[in-house]
Amino acid sequence: MSKRISIHGQWSSRLMFILAATGAAVGLGNIWKFPYLTGENGGGAFVLVYLLCIGLITIPIMMAEVLIGRRGRQSPVNSLQTLAIEAGASTQWRLLGWAGMLAGLVILSYYSVIAGWILAYLMRMVTGVFVRVTAEGASSIFTQLVTDPERLLAWHTIFMVMTIKVVSRGIRNGLEKVVKILVPMLFFLLLVLVVHAARYGDLDQAVDYLFHSDFSKLTPAAVWTAMGHAFFTLSLGMGAMVAYGSYLPNGVSIAKASIVVAVLDTLVALLAGLAVFPVVFANNLAAGDGPGLVFQTLPIAFGQMPGGVFFGSLFFLLLVFAAWTSAIALIEPLVAWLVENREIERIRASIWTGIVAWLLGVVTILSFSNWSFSFNFIGVPKRHGLFDVLDILTSSIILPLGGLFMALFVGWVMVRESVEDELGGLPGVGFKLWYFVIRYVVPAAMVLVFLQVIGVL
Ligand code: PFF
């Protein structure tokens, strides 16, 4: 088959793809979610399972997604459809792209609300609100913010506008320009924060907490959460990497680029743990406080340490950058599809997509006040009503399922020669191993974990 070119353009280099995909991968998932999930699920054993899932399941799937994109050279929906036709399979495979686009929209809706909290916290940090704040003070500042729908709506709107602005400018003028600056800065800020945490926090306890595995705390639900998070953190299962792959120049090794992105993403999650937990432990605060960890616990810690205003502000700035470069990836599949199928300009496609995600965001905003309720999910208490429902539906269900189907598509549906051709850089043994993992190991591992969660095993 002749090599196509995407109508949306191409990354200007391999490095640009790596920066953009790392920007998509490194987000709230790494710096906000990973530390609190680790805290909620008992520390080291959770981290170990998460690392295993990254290595065994999600890196091979990432390669599969990028490959689908580069081979199809269109939005995920259209790439899946084209490749299914090429393989003589059902065009219904495009539904996988549809599920992903919708998941992206839903994730963006709540992602933007949380990013709004971060913008609000950045303001508070910079203005010294948290200096010597007490535990009660920090908790009441957090509660005041999340139970004030008007304020949340304002911050959510600002973040959504930031996102739409970048996406509407396209690959070279929008996405590349932003990631080129923000991703390197993000790494720099994180390193500064880790060094600071090591000097003023309790690094030993944090290392012990993150890397000492106590398997008695590892429930089936925690294993499922670790796996879901491995998908969420690498932005898999919903087509973002398919879209980014469709802009990848020919000749770039998909295997190498994917591994670099996954390693950088994992590094950021672990470094984020090393930036957060030493500070938490040095102040005798609890690690298992859930989503409030970086909002309620960290400000107390920063409020008490030398240079806290400066370093606390850097921390929230880091979170803003991370969230921004991820949010743009969440709607890229849908925007690309609208441009291809509805023949509207990118700017209009981005604005409409943004408006829908913005409206949906109101659900999350109200989850923390007027519409709040609690429920149990596979034995884990959830306190934030519809926000938790959306989060579970996307990260724990749609993304893993979407990823599984991407693996099945590449492993069992696509023409093997096309797959091999796209992974050109991979030596023979490497390809055979990867293909075996995608065809057998990934589906088997995921089904086993699932059966364990529902109590069959
Ligand atoms: N990987 C992002 C994070 O860890 O925060 C979340 C995400 C971004 C998921 C973009 C999916 C996506 F398309």
Side-chain angles (χ1 to χ4, degrees):
M1 192 177 70
S2 66
K3 302 259 181 195
R4 305 179 183 90
I5 295 192
S6 166
I7 62 164
H8 310 285
Q10 264 195 7
W11 303 117
S12 46
S13 62
R14 179 180 107 112
L15 179 66
M16 274 306 155
F17 169 78
I18 290 181
L19 288 178
T22 305
V26 172
L28 298 181
N30 305 61
I31 306 165
W32 165 66
K33 239 178 163 186
F34 175 73
Y36 89 70
L37 287 180
T38 305
E40 276 183 342
N41 291 287
F46 175 84
V47 176
L48 193 69
V49 176
Y50 161 78
L51 292 177
L52 275 177
C53 290
I54 295 274
L56 203 69
I57 300 179
T58 50
I59 291 184
I61 294 186
M62 183 158 187
M63 289 165 61
E65 290 202 18
V66 175
L67 176 162
I68 295 174
R70 190 165 72 179
R71 193 72 186 176
R73 288 283 187 218
Q74 298 157 77
S75 64
V77 170
N78 292 333
S79 288
L80 284 162
Q81 175 162 311
T82 307
L83 297 177
I85 293 173
E86 182 189 282
S90 163
T91 54
Q92 298 302 332
W93 276 99
R94 70 173 187 277
L95 294 180
L96 178 56
W98 269 101
M101 289 197 310
L102 294 181
L105 205 59
V106 172
I107 298 177
L108 179 62
S109 76
Y110 68 75
Y111 210 79
S112 167
V113 174
I114 310 289
W117 296 2
I118 292 162
L119 287 171
Y121 263 66
L122 176 59
M123 283 288 283
R124 287 164 176 66
M125 266 293 172
V126 172
T127 51
V129 169
F130 295 110
V131 176
R132 277 183 287 281
V133 73
T134 57
E136 297 74 45
S139 150
S140 96
I141 291 172
F142 181 69
T143 312
Q144 257 173 32
L145 175 71
V146 301
T147 53
D148 182 346
E150 274 172 37
R151 203 174 285 253
L152 291 189
L153 193 66
W155 289 114
H156 167 53
T157 310
I158 294 174
F159 186 78
M160 196 61 86
V161 170
M162 287 164 60
T163 305
I164 296 173
K165 207 158 168 57
V166 179
V167 179
S168 68
R169 295 197 170 164
I171 313 304
R172 294 260 168 115
N173 289 328
L175 278 62
E176 277 197 1
K177 283 207 169 131
V178 168
V179 298
K180 188 158 67 183
I181 300 170
L182 295 194
V183 174
M185 270 178 78
L186 194 149
F187 275 91
F188 175 71
L189 289 184
L190 189 56
L191 286 177
V192 171
L193 285 166
V194 173
V195 171
H196 181 255
R199 282 182 66 190
Y200 294 102
D202 190 340
L203 188 65
D204 290 346
Q205 202 183 337
V207 170
D208 190 52
Y209 186 71
L210 282 169
F211 300 109
H212 177 80
S213 307
D214 177 358
F215 283 93
S216 64
K217 292 200 182 124
L218 198 67
T219 58
V223 175
W224 186 259
T225 307
M227 195 174 76
H229 189 62
F231 281 93
F232 185 86
T233 192
L234 290 185
S235 306
L236 296 177
M238 46 77 55
M241 288 301 166
V242 178
Y244 277 25
S246 71
Y247 314 137
L248 183 65
N250 293 322
V252 173
S253 160
I254 289 181
K256 275 193 208 142
S258 305
I259 292 172
V260 170
V261 172
V263 168
L264 288 176
D265 182 78
T266 309
L267 202 67
V268 171
L270 296 176
L271 286 175
L274 291 180
V276 170
F277 289 122
V279 179
V280 170
F281 291 140
N283 292 281
N284 295 321
L285 298 167
D289 268 357
L293 182 65
V294 307
F295 295 100
Q296 277 166 282
T297 315
L298 265 195
I300 309 174
F302 279 124
Q304 283 163 5
M305 62 173 34
V309 170
F310 178 71
F311 289 102
S313 306
L314 279 194
F315 181 81
F316 283 98
L317 190 64
L318 166 77
L319 270 166
V320 172
F321 290 173
W324 198 10
T325 53
S326 290
I328 54 185
L330 280 163
I331 47 169
E332 182 59 30
L334 182 50
V335 169
W337 180 82
L338 284 170
V339 172
E340 287 166 13
N341 287 50
R342 294 280 167 264
E343 291 177 7
I344 55 176
E345 295 140 30
R346 183 170 253 275
I347 181 155
R348 283 185 52 206
S350 315
I351 292 174
W352 278 114
T353 310
I355 289 177
V356 176
W358 179 81
L359 278 173
L360 257 177
V362 173
V363 170
T364 293
I365 288 179
L366 295 177
S367 302
F368 293 89
S369 48
N370 309 30
W371 293 356
S372 87
F373 60 86
S374 330
F375 64 99
N376 262 332
F377 177 70
I378 41 178
V380 183
K382 299 281 171 187
R383 282 166 292 160
H384 307 295
L386 286 171
F387 160 70
D388 279 324
V389 172
L390 295 180
D391 183 31
I392 291 169
L393 190 71
T394 47
S395 11
S396 297
I397 299 174
I398 302 184
L399 299 192
L401 265 182
L404 172 63
F405 278 97
M406 297 274 185
L408 293 177
F409 183 76
V410 170
W412 296 93
V413 175
M414 267 182 82
V415 180
R416 184 183 163 131
E417 287 69 45
S418 303
V419 176
E420 215 165 346
D421 183 35
E422 277 313 319
L423 284 189
L426 214 54
V429 190
F431 177 78
K432 282 204 183 105
L433 189 67
W434 170 83
Y435 204 52
F436 178 77
V437 169
I438 276 289
R439 282 166 72 102
Y440 300 103
V441 179
V442 166
M446 291 185 70
V447 169
L448 278 180
V449 174
F450 180 69
L451 291 179
Q452 212 206 0
V453 173
I454 59 169
V456 174
L457 285 185

